[in-house]
Amino acid sequence: MQLDSAPPIDYQAMIDTAASALLESAAAYLKPEDVQLLRQAFDVSREAHEGQTRKSGEPYITHPLAVAQMLVDWRMDAQGVAAALLHDVLEDTGVSKPTLTEHFGKTIADLVDGLSKLERLEYQTKEDAQAENFRKMVLAMARDVRVIIVKLADRLHNMRTLDSMREDKRKRIALETLEIYAPIANRIGLNTVYRELQDLAFKHLYPTRYTVLAKAVRAARGNRREIVNKILEAVSQRLAENKIEAVIKGREKNLYSIYKKMQEKNLSFSEVLDIYGFRVVVNDIPSCYLSLGALHSLYKPLPGKFKDYIAIPKGNGYQSLHTTLFGPYGTPVEMQIRTREMNAVAEAGIASHWMYKSGDGSLDTAHQRTHQWLQSILDIQAESDDAIEFFEHIKIDLFPDEVYVFTPKGKILVLPQGSTPVDFAYAVHTDVGHRCIAARVNHALVPLRTVLRNGDSVEVITSTQAKPNPSWLNFVASGRARSCIRSYLKSLQTTEASLLGERLLKQALSALVMTPLAGVDALQDEYMALYGDNLGSFREVLAELGVGKLLPIAVARRLVELAGRKSGESVRVSPIAIRGNESGTIQLATCCSPIPGDEIVGAIAKGQGLIIHRSLCANIRRFDQDKLLEVTWDTQRDRMFAVTVSVMARNERGTLADIASAISGAAANIESVDTQDGSAGEGYIHIHFRLQVSDLVHLDRVLAAVAQLSSVISAKRG
């Protein structure tokens, strides 16, 4: 019997249906001219992505349509939805930003540009590319918060459809989502998106754990239904007795939060009792506190488990009363009590600004808090000139745990958990941080590294003569404080480092050429064009020399070669002589462990100085030719060099002792030994020694001494 194959999917009909549904949903709250704008954006996007498909095989246009539909569900304005429809056209098609500006105006073009990666630029590492793209997106987000809302919808749809990707790519995207995009969603109050991103990332990072935990939660759902219903009934009855109008909902905690609790507290699933929480939504703020009293009279509260986020909202504008109660059978019951407006902010955060146009103060607070955070991002950006450094500072501030402290005038400041008076000082103002010399917490003098707690009153003592201390970087917790301190120290050190670098360069030039090199200043621009490595000026090159990030002899050699080309003379510069005991700017590669006697080559690695490899080392191929320098061993050496030796021998009693004795007899030191039974076959053993030898001749003597042993099959350099 032959089975009929499934009919082909009519993608065009599917796209037309999705587009019609999108425009129909948008028409429910947008003006007719706005709906026409969305129709135009869809047409441009559809044409631009014509012929492109997703990994799943679907036409690419299905993705921007799905992202736009999410935004329409959130009641985003027409410009935001249009940007969602067009968000990939700059990156993946031939459409340019001027073309978008011409058709849709500058605002939409800027939104789309803020959502586009910097694909066309070249970076040394994936980390550099990720950091630069993140910086571009965050700065666009600071100018217009709609950028991040569109980006989160984009990421959410990508995570929902991640199954068609390769496993390694799935894990990379899931990790990035968990570390960056989920915390951003939490930071701007998009709680529903935050939880779903966490669960989807968990599913792809740890599929087995996710499946087992999901199954356990489904089973527990049935087992605990009786308890949940009993609690809902008791709470409803008690609130009604107190004449409080409320909507009570039981909610299941998301899988990732259950998993994190199991990890952090080392619990099995059966020990995690509070997988259910309850939400009480009332009409006004007085009813929140009345409900709290009613619930505390129903079930006893757990000491220390009450938090008032109504009086002191979270940094993202979230407001609610939190309390944990002893429920039936000793089950801990987590309760959240809030108004309808607070509930809107808790679910949608900054997106509630578009979803609910009631003019309620809670919604305005969410919007205001988000803009304060975005302004702090701009401040950090102003202090950080390095994209990776900026990326790290922002990641610090994305962690959700916060501490609430008071200024002497009673103003509340929200700081990351673990913050100190120095973090507080920089949160007040950069100059206050720079001039900070002492602090009082709750009117008592404390060390600057004191960790602040909720409710502390903090007063900073300043001096006009003070300046930031580098040791503060060891204990500050906020990205803002860290970036301000680093920026100040850099500006202070750059001048001194440049002067030192200039002296070191002159010494290196005089060591290379007998007569002073004329016209070095005129060669600086040419040097920067060829070897600048993204540094802004030759002064920065001098500063890098001064702090030891660049090797003076390497820069000097480049300048001498450039001078020779300019004069038309053939300049032969002697190789750099390596003694092996130089400062941290010259290192011996651990991958190939070069020793005197080996043919060697120097590779300039950004931020690491000159790395010496054996000429045959495979890792040399990773470097461009202009990063390689001719080096040789100095005849004057007074140290030993590390090298790995691999020995295969019969697995007999005393074999290891005999080999060690032979190595010692050849005047070599043993740093470490690693044995691998059975890896060489039954009855044999592989032993890896890390030795200290003086040069290649010495190594040959050691290998010969070991090879002479009757139990040894082979001895060679590892």
Side-chain angles (χ1 to χ4, degrees):
M1 177 178 173
Q2 188 172 354
L3 295 174
D4 293 333
S5 59
I9 299 172
D10 188 346
Y11 284 122
Q12 294 309 314
M14 184 176 75
I15 292 166
D16 290 339
T17 302
S20 297
L22 172 73
L23 297 172
E24 187 178 332
S25 302
Y29 72 97
L30 293 177
K31 298 174 184 175
E33 56 268 31
D34 290 335
V35 177
Q36 181 56 36
L37 174 72
L38 299 187
R39 184 176 282 108
Q40 183 188 354
F42 167 67
D43 290 339
V44 170
S45 183
R46 186 176 194 169
E47 184 180 343
H49 291 298
E50 187 66 41
Q52 294 180 350
T53 57
R54 306 192 78 210
K55 292 287 184 186
S56 61
E58 295 177 312
Y60 195 86
I61 188 63
T62 57
H63 169 62
L65 263 175
V67 175
Q69 184 64 59
M70 277 190 226
L71 296 177
V72 167
D73 293 341
W74 298 345
R75 294 297 191 264
M76 175 64 75
D77 63 12
Q79 289 180 326
V81 180
L85 286 166
L86 298 162
H87 77 269
D88 278 331
V89 297
L90 291 183
E91 202 173 302
D92 299 334
T93 75
V95 177
S96 65
K97 187 178 177 183
T99 301
L100 279 185
T101 305
E102 182 184 342
H103 285 86
F104 298 99
K106 186 175 185 301
T107 301
I108 291 176
D110 285 344
L111 283 171
V112 175
D113 185 47
L115 291 157
S116 302
K117 292 179 186 173
L118 299 166
E119 297 282 10
R120 293 172 185 80
L121 298 182
E122 298 226 354
Y123 299 102
Q124 290 199 329
T125 65
K126 284 184 178 178
E127 288 76 17
D128 286 334
Q130 184 189 38
E132 282 291 0
N133 283 318
F134 179 76
R135 173 153 72 173
K136 178 176 186 280
M137 182 193 72
V138 167
L139 294 180
M141 173 178 88
R143 288 191 294 271
D144 192 329
V145 74
R146 290 174 294 185
V147 167
I148 196 56
I149 295 176
V150 177
K151 184 63 185 177
L152 288 170
D154 170 44
R155 178 53 62 118
L156 182 54
H157 184 252
N158 280 332
M159 289 299 294
R160 286 173 177 173
T161 56
L162 203 57
D163 289 315
S164 54
M165 292 282 189
R166 287 195 325 265
E167 183 184 2
D168 61 323
K169 199 165 185 180
R170 285 204 307 272
K171 288 188 180 296
R172 180 181 61 77
I173 293 171
L175 184 62
E176 183 183 64
T177 299
L178 200 58
E179 289 184 345
I180 300 169
Y181 291 101
I184 288 178
N186 181 49
R187 195 63 184 74
I188 66 174
L190 279 164
N191 192 56
T192 307
V193 175
Y194 167 56
R195 300 295 180 195
E196 188 175 352
L197 285 175
Q198 280 188 323
D199 278 357
L200 289 169
F202 177 35
K203 173 185 173 183
H204 291 289
L205 278 173
Y206 308 108
T208 305
R209 297 179 204 182
Y210 177 89
T211 304
V212 170
L213 192 55
K215 186 176 179 181
V217 168
R218 282 195 297 273
R221 195 180 294 153
N223 298 338
R224 301 182 191 184
R225 187 174 293 133
E226 183 185 341
I227 297 176
V228 171
N229 290 337
K230 186 174 182 179
I231 293 170
L232 281 171
E233 187 179 332
V235 169
S236 299
Q237 186 176 337
R238 182 55 57 95
L239 293 177
E241 288 170 2
N242 286 268
K243 297 182 172 54
I244 299 170
E245 287 185 32
V247 175
I248 305 127
K249 300 175 182 176
R251 63 180 184 88
E252 199 173 88
K253 292 190 174 180
N254 69 313
L255 288 179
Y256 184 70
S257 67
I258 296 171
Y259 171 69
K260 287 298 287 182
K261 186 164 190 174
M262 290 168 63
Q263 261 198 328
E264 289 165 4
K265 300 192 175 181
N266 199 22
L267 303 172
S268 66
F269 177 74
S270 60
E271 293 173 302
V272 181
L273 299 174
D274 55 341
I275 67 167
Y276 279 97
F278 296 85
R279 185 170 299 146
V280 177
V281 181
V282 296
N283 294 329
D284 50 39
I285 291 177
S287 297
C288 291
Y289 292 97
L290 288 172
S291 301
L292 180 72
L295 293 176
H296 281 189
S297 68
L298 175 64
Y299 299 122
K300 296 296 182 189
L302 265 71
K305 289 290 187 179
F306 168 67
K307 290 181 180 175
D308 188 344
Y309 291 119
I310 293 178
I312 304 177
K314 283 192 175 186
N316 58 15
Y318 173 92
Q319 290 182 285
S320 190
L321 296 178
H322 286 199
T323 186
T324 304
L325 312 171
F326 280 113
Y329 315 114
T331 305
V333 180
E334 187 184 274
M335 287 282 182
Q336 297 174 350
I337 309 166
R338 58 180 73 139
T339 66
R340 286 192 298 271
E341 291 78 12
M342 291 173 191
N343 194 52
V345 173
E347 292 302 318
I350 187 67
S352 61
H353 177 75
W354 288 276
M355 292 175 74
Y356 306 94
K357 300 290 187 178
S358 64
D360 180 81
S362 300
L363 309 186
D364 292 339
T365 300
H367 207 254
Q368 185 181 354
R369 294 294 178 110
T370 298
H371 278 289
Q372 286 174 352
W373 179 60
L374 295 175
Q375 184 57 50
S376 75
I377 285 177
L378 290 177
D379 293 342
I380 292 174
Q381 154 63 16
E383 304 290 351
S384 303
D385 55 358
D386 180 79
I388 291 181
E389 188 179 288
F390 173 67
F391 189 35
E392 291 305 318
H393 293 329
I394 298 300
K395 280 173 75 175
I396 289 170
D397 276 359
L398 286 176
F399 290 114
D401 294 333
E402 295 163 331
V403 62
Y404 301 86
V405 295
F406 294 89
T407 68
K409 293 183 178 179
K411 181 184 175 184
I412 297 169
L413 286 184
V414 184
L415 299 170
Q417 197 79 37
S419 288
T420 64
V422 176
D423 294 284
F424 175 90
Y426 279 106
V428 173
H429 195 277
T430 302
D431 288 341
V432 175
H434 285 348
R435 299 201 310 269
C436 172
I437 57 168
R440 289 190 182 94
V441 174
N442 303 325
H443 309 292
L445 278 170
V446 298
L448 288 177
R449 61 170 59 244
T450 302
V451 175
L452 301 176
R453 295 176 298 180
N454 275 326
D456 281 345
S457 175
V458 186
E459 179 188 353
V460 174
I461 301 167
T462 61
S463 167
T464 54
Q465 306 301 315
K467 59 184 180 181
N469 188 326
S471 67
W472 292 353
L473 291 170
N474 295 326
F475 58 76
V476 291
S478 64
R480 176 176 171 78
R482 192 170 292 277
S483 67
C484 288
I485 295 165
R486 280 184 173 170
S487 176
Y488 182 89
L489 295 175
K490 279 181 184 175
S491 65
L492 193 69
Q493 293 167 355
T494 298
T495 303
E496 297 173 4
S498 296
L499 293 172
L500 175 59
E502 192 172 4
R503 288 205 307 272
L504 292 172
L505 182 59
K506 284 179 180 177
Q507 290 173 6
L509 284 169
S510 63
L512 285 175
V513 291
M514 297 297 293
T515 55
L517 192 63
V520 171
D521 292 346
L523 298 171
Q524 292 177 4
D525 289 344
E526 198 172 342
Y527 177 91
M528 293 304 298
L530 291 171
Y531 313 114
D533 281 338
N534 300 320
L535 295 173
S537 66
F538 197 75
R539 183 171 176 270
E540 289 182 41
V541 173
L542 295 175
E544 297 272 281
L545 291 170
V547 298
K549 288 186 177 179
L550 283 177
L551 191 66
I553 194 71
V555 176
R557 282 172 59 87
R558 299 298 192 205
L559 289 171
V560 171
E561 289 168 2
L562 288 173
R565 288 183 214 162
K566 198 163 187 178
S567 65
E569 298 175 10
S570 176
V571 179
R572 172 65 181 167
V573 184
S574 302
I576 299 171
I578 305 298
R579 300 185 69 174
N581 56 357
E582 288 84 359
S583 65
T585 52
I586 297 181
Q587 304 170 49
L588 301 179
T590 55
C591 55
C592 56
S593 300
I595 60 176
D598 288 327
E599 289 189 14
I600 52 175
V601 62
I604 301 173
K606 187 179 179 184
Q608 300 178 54
L610 189 66
I611 313 295
I612 309 302
H613 291 263
R614 292 166 67 189
S615 298
L616 297 176
C617 180
N619 286 328
I620 283 295
R621 301 191 197 109
R622 294 190 298 110
F623 294 90
D624 296 332
Q625 280 299 312
D626 63 352
K627 300 292 183 191
L628 301 179
L629 289 176
E630 191 179 349
V631 294
T632 188
W633 293 107
D634 195 319
T635 54
Q636 302 297 316
R637 298 185 303 273
D638 55 2
R639 62 157 283 185
M640 302 283 272
F641 296 81
V643 65
T644 301
V645 167
S646 178
V647 178
M648 187 171 74
R650 294 182 184 87
N651 195 359
E652 301 170 351
R653 183 187 296 273
T655 294
L656 183 57
D658 290 343
I659 297 172
S661 177
I663 291 171
S664 178
N669 298 325
I670 300 175
E671 278 189 356
S672 64
V673 182
D674 177 32
T675 60
Q676 296 175 355
D677 290 322
S679 62
E682 190 175 348
Y684 295 91
I685 188 171
H686 248 143
I687 313 172
H688 299 284
F689 292 91
R690 187 75 172 166
L691 307 180
Q692 289 276 344
V693 298
S694 58
D695 54 26
L696 195 57
V697 174
H698 186 190
L699 175 62
D700 287 342
R701 283 206 310 272
V702 173
L703 292 175
V706 172
Q708 286 177 358
L709 297 173
S710 59
S711 59
V712 171
I713 308 301
S714 67
K716 60 183 180 180
R717 186 172 182 174

